[in-house]
Amino acid sequence: MPTYTAPTKDQQFILHDVLNISAMDVPGYGDLDRDFTNAVLEEAGKLASEVLAPLNPVGDKQGCKLENGVVRVPEGFKAAYDQMAEGGWMAMDMPEEYGGQGLPYIMHTAAMEPMVSANMAFNMYPGLTHGNMAAILAHGTDEQKETYLPKMCSGEWSGTMNLTEPHCGTDLGLMRTKAEPQDDGTYKISGQKIWISAGEHEMAENIIHLVLAKIPGGPEGVKGISLFIVPKFLVNDDGSLGERNSLSCGGLEEKMGIHGNATCVMNYDGATGYLIGEMHKGMRAMFTMMNEARLGVGLQGYAQGAVAYENALGFARDRLQGRAVTGTEHADKPADPIIVHPDVRRNLLDQKSFVEGARALVYWSSSMLDRGHLSNDKDAEDMMSLMTPVIKGFLTDKGFETCVLAQQTLGGSGFTQEWGLEQFVRDARITMIYEGTNGVQALDLVGRKLGLNGGKTVMAFFDMVKTFIKENEGNEALKADFLDPLKEASKDLQAAGMYFMQEGMKNPNNALSGSYDFMHLFGHVSLGLMWAKMAKAAHEALDNGAEDKEFYETKLATGRYYMARPLKMTGTHLARIQSGADTVMTLDAANF
């Protein structure tokens, strides 16, 4: 059975040594001192390791069952859900007036990481609820907020998002679900939605669905989509639950992974719905939830990689196979542990350097989200818009790859259920698909986000990298190992952007055929920047006489590995981008 220990020390390092959050000019950050964040993260880690992690294989083996229209979740899930709700973990960053704790989003991110690592399928239930609440908070009326948010913050009610239909996923303009206006201001929602995570279960008294549908007579395509609140049970004027709404779970998907989460077919048969936001502006409201969900999925990617790495490392330290090529290291044993072998170390360092760099990127991004929401910083919001497809696409691709590398570390044992690595691989696979496939993320990055604000936002990213390098160019401890590789990688990214500007105008396929490589190139540069920032923080801690010298020296060694090896992939991605579209588009469809 796999183990899990929350990376509290690493989390604290990023929050305080790297980001120095308590000194940031963001409302609420001044209260986030080391003692406070450590207390929160210690408790989050304890819940994750002691309660959620043991349920992960249980949920995988038992799965969910649909019985007479009710979804039965795996054993132990309901008790864990109640414990999570009682601890106030459902709504850490929601306003206090609705029962939340009013903390910045970055604390929600940091607290959720260990829970996602411990049990990704379980965490999807509160995770979908959180995104649902964010959409209602941003776009709902005062009455809607007062009706739904307090019960969702407490965990008494949960939430979902309903987009996909059997005939349309990415192209939502093909949607058929209808919303017929009623004389009382409500709508009758009719249609079928598929792949609805947490769409039906027994853990909450009510489930609040956010459903995309078209009002007859509206504009064609996505411009005619509206968003509706459709509760499982109607809510009376006094807040009590009324009659069952006309909606039902029509089936559960049999999936490769995340068996503990109910992935439902939802049927709406004239269900009562309430418009949220403006009519025909549903995509704007839904993307409040979608964008948060995409950041959350990026976290899922590296968080699954993190728990897989932890277990691969433990195996590599214990498994005895062969002798070190430079001579026996453990003469008292029949063989040396496999961690002495260079290729095993390469494998483990690929995992370790990615996970730690990705964690820094997601926490930094959460601080940008807070700047946008709490400080009304438009530039920070735009930066997050640019970074969202990179975080979702790159971190889930590499997170899945990390799980596979961890599985490979165990050899044949990694292929068996006993060790748990194969579950991490299966669970991580969905992150590359849902909330917009990674191919769509790459197209969004190149087709939309590069041109955001006339290209000013991507230039702001380049300037951020240049500024960091320039401000630290006199630091000899950073220059050769961190600043020079970062500068080289950043030049590759700028060259790719220039290629798109020059060749994409001539033939759009030149840009789109290189979009996936560009997403990965951007991801590597982003992690390179994070590692340079972490290296600076580690050197400063050592210079100031840090007690745990080994911790900071390990950070530097891991960062040097990333800059010397994984970051060099930027040159490969650039070469692929500059090869253009001819070889990609040359075959007729019939010749594939």
Side-chain angles (χ1 to χ4, degrees):
M1 182 174 173
T3 62
Y4 179 68
T5 303
T8 306
K9 191 166 187 176
D10 270 354
Q11 293 178 294
Q12 288 285 79
F13 168 70
I14 295 168
L15 292 175
H16 297 287
D17 293 84
V18 180
L19 298 179
N20 194 14
I21 56 172
S22 60
M24 279 189 176
D25 185 21
V26 179
Y29 272 43
D31 297 327
L32 304 180
D33 59 38
R34 284 182 184 268
D35 289 341
F36 175 78
T37 60
N38 193 68
V40 172
L41 295 179
E42 287 282 359
E43 287 302 312
K46 185 177 179 181
L47 177 63
S49 61
E50 296 181 5
V51 178
L52 301 185
L55 291 175
N56 199 38
V58 175
D60 187 55
K61 289 180 174 63
Q62 292 186 4
C64 297
K65 296 178 177 63
L66 180 62
E67 299 176 351
N68 299 318
V70 178
V71 172
R72 307 297 182 189
V73 296
E75 292 177 16
F77 271 43
K78 177 66 166 69
Y81 181 91
D82 291 344
Q83 189 170 340
M84 192 173 183
E86 291 167 6
W89 300 106
M90 301 288 193
M92 293 178 63
D93 60 322
M94 287 293 127
E96 293 180 82
E97 63 186 290
Y98 300 118
Q101 298 182 43
L103 293 172
Y105 181 77
I106 195 169
M107 286 307 299
H108 167 79
T109 297
M112 288 304 106
E113 180 195 331
M115 300 185 194
V116 173
S117 285
N119 196 326
M120 178 174 146
F122 172 87
N123 196 260
M124 290 172 65
Y125 293 98
L128 269 296
T129 302
H130 187 276
N132 184 302
M133 287 191 290
I136 293 175
L137 184 64
H139 302 283
T141 64
D142 289 342
E143 182 181 0
Q144 288 171 339
K145 295 174 190 177
E146 292 167 3
T147 298
Y148 299 106
L149 291 181
K151 294 287 189 179
M152 297 174 81
C153 282
S154 69
E156 295 171 77
W157 298 354
S158 66
T160 72
M161 56 194 296
N162 287 235
L163 290 79
T164 306
E165 299 183 7
H167 59 283
C168 72
T170 301
D171 190 356
L172 291 172
L174 301 175
M175 186 178 298
R176 295 174 185 164
T177 299
K178 292 183 178 180
E180 296 281 354
Q182 305 299 299
D183 293 340
D184 62 359
T186 65
Y187 292 79
K188 292 299 182 184
I189 312 298
S190 298
Q192 186 179 78
K193 299 290 184 176
I194 63 171
W195 304 336
I196 308 307
S197 299
E200 170 61 35
H201 59 87
E202 58 192 335
M203 295 189 293
E205 296 175 355
N206 201 5
I207 301 176
I208 312 304
H209 301 283
L210 290 184
V211 183
L212 289 178
K214 289 185 174 182
I215 300 172
E220 292 295 319
V222 295
K223 293 182 179 180
I225 295 175
S226 300
L227 183 64
F228 300 88
I229 297 174
V230 188
K232 176 180 175 180
F233 289 97
L234 298 176
V235 182
N236 297 321
D237 291 340
D238 63 358
S240 63
L241 295 183
E243 63 182 24
R244 173 74 183 253
N245 210 347
S246 300
L247 60 91
S248 62
C249 174
L252 292 177
E253 300 292 346
E254 296 291 337
K255 302 162 297 187
M256 176 180 175
I258 55 168
H259 295 158
N261 191 266
T263 305
C264 303
V265 176
M266 297 300 300
N267 296 318
Y268 295 88
D269 302 306
T272 299
Y274 308 89
L275 180 70
I276 176 172
E278 298 179 52
M279 185 182 297
H280 309 315
K281 302 292 185 183
M283 292 304 294
R284 179 187 303 171
M286 183 56 85
F287 267 105
T288 297
M289 186 173 186
M290 283 286 288
N291 285 334
E292 179 185 311
R294 285 171 176 171
L295 295 177
V297 174
L299 185 150
Q300 286 181 333
Y302 86 78
Q304 285 298 283
V307 66
Y309 164 69
E310 176 185 326
N311 285 272
L313 177 60
F315 184 92
R317 285 171 170 165
D318 293 338
R319 178 68 167 175
L320 303 179
Q321 291 282 290
R323 292 295 188 185
V325 69
T326 53
T328 298
E329 293 195 11
H330 295 267
D332 59 326
K333 297 178 181 179
D336 288 332
I338 63 172
I339 199 168
V340 304
H341 304 305
D343 192 60
V344 173
R345 286 174 171 249
R346 184 271 315 163
N347 190 329
L348 291 171
L349 278 167
D350 275 351
Q351 299 169 51
K352 179 178 174 63
S353 64
F354 163 72
V355 166
E356 294 179 14
R359 179 178 293 121
L361 179 62
V362 168
Y363 288 18
W364 171 81
S365 299
S366 295
S367 74
M368 288 295 103
L369 198 74
D370 279 332
R371 282 189 184 279
H373 289 172
L374 302 177
S375 300
N376 297 315
D377 187 331
K378 181 63 166 56
D379 291 338
E381 285 188 359
D382 290 341
M383 183 61 70
M384 276 312 305
S385 183
L386 171 69
M387 297 302 299
T388 294
V390 178
I391 290 169
K392 195 282 182 184
F394 180 70
L395 296 193
T396 59
D397 275 355
K398 302 302 287 187
F400 174 74
E401 180 183 314
T402 297
C403 290
V404 173
L405 288 173
Q407 183 185 39
Q408 188 73 15
T409 307
L410 273 69
S413 297
F415 200 67
T416 65
Q417 292 185 354
E418 176 185 358
W419 291 86
L421 273 295
E422 58 88 31
Q423 183 189 347
F424 299 140
V425 171
R426 287 186 288 105
D427 286 355
R429 186 64 182 89
I430 186 57
T431 64
M432 303 160 71
I433 298 173
Y434 61 14
E435 306 303 344
T437 65
N438 287 358
V440 170
Q441 302 303 317
L443 295 179
D444 177 49
L445 175 63
V446 172
R448 295 178 181 175
K449 301 302 172 60
L450 285 187
L452 190 65
N453 295 323
K456 291 181 180 178
T457 304
V458 73
M459 291 306 298
F461 177 85
F462 292 143
D463 287 342
M464 180 171 57
V465 176
K466 290 178 183 176
T467 299
F468 180 84
I469 293 172
K470 186 175 182 179
E471 288 177 347
N472 294 282
E473 60 187 357
N475 188 334
E476 291 301 321
L478 292 179
K479 189 176 187 312
D481 292 335
F482 293 94
L483 301 184
D484 290 348
L486 177 59
K487 183 185 294 186
E488 181 183 346
S490 180
K491 287 180 179 179
D492 287 341
L493 183 61
Q494 293 177 67
M498 186 62 67
Y499 173 83
F500 289 153
M501 290 178 61
Q502 294 173 345
E503 301 299 325
M505 297 296 291
K506 300 175 185 177
N507 179 3
N509 284 335
N510 282 329
L512 299 185
S513 65
S515 61
Y516 212 95
D517 280 284
F518 186 78
M519 180 177 72
H520 273 244
L521 202 170
F522 209 133
H524 278 298
V525 173
S526 300
L527 260 62
L529 176 61
M530 292 301 114
W531 269 116
K533 288 177 176 288
M534 286 191 281
K536 180 181 180 181
H539 274 298
E540 289 176 349
L542 290 170
D543 291 343
N544 291 329
E547 291 184 8
D548 194 347
K549 184 178 179 181
E550 185 177 29
F551 174 84
Y552 294 103
E553 289 178 341
T554 299
K555 277 280 178 260
L556 290 170
T558 307
R560 290 188 191 102
Y561 177 87
Y562 190 87
M563 306 305 277
R565 294 181 71 109
L567 187 61
K568 296 303 181 184
M569 284 300 297
T570 60
T572 298
H573 289 302
L574 176 60
R576 286 162 57 96
I577 289 167
Q578 292 176 336
S579 71
D582 289 346
T583 56
V584 175
M585 304 302 296
T586 186
L587 287 180
D588 290 333
N591 294 332
F592 273 82

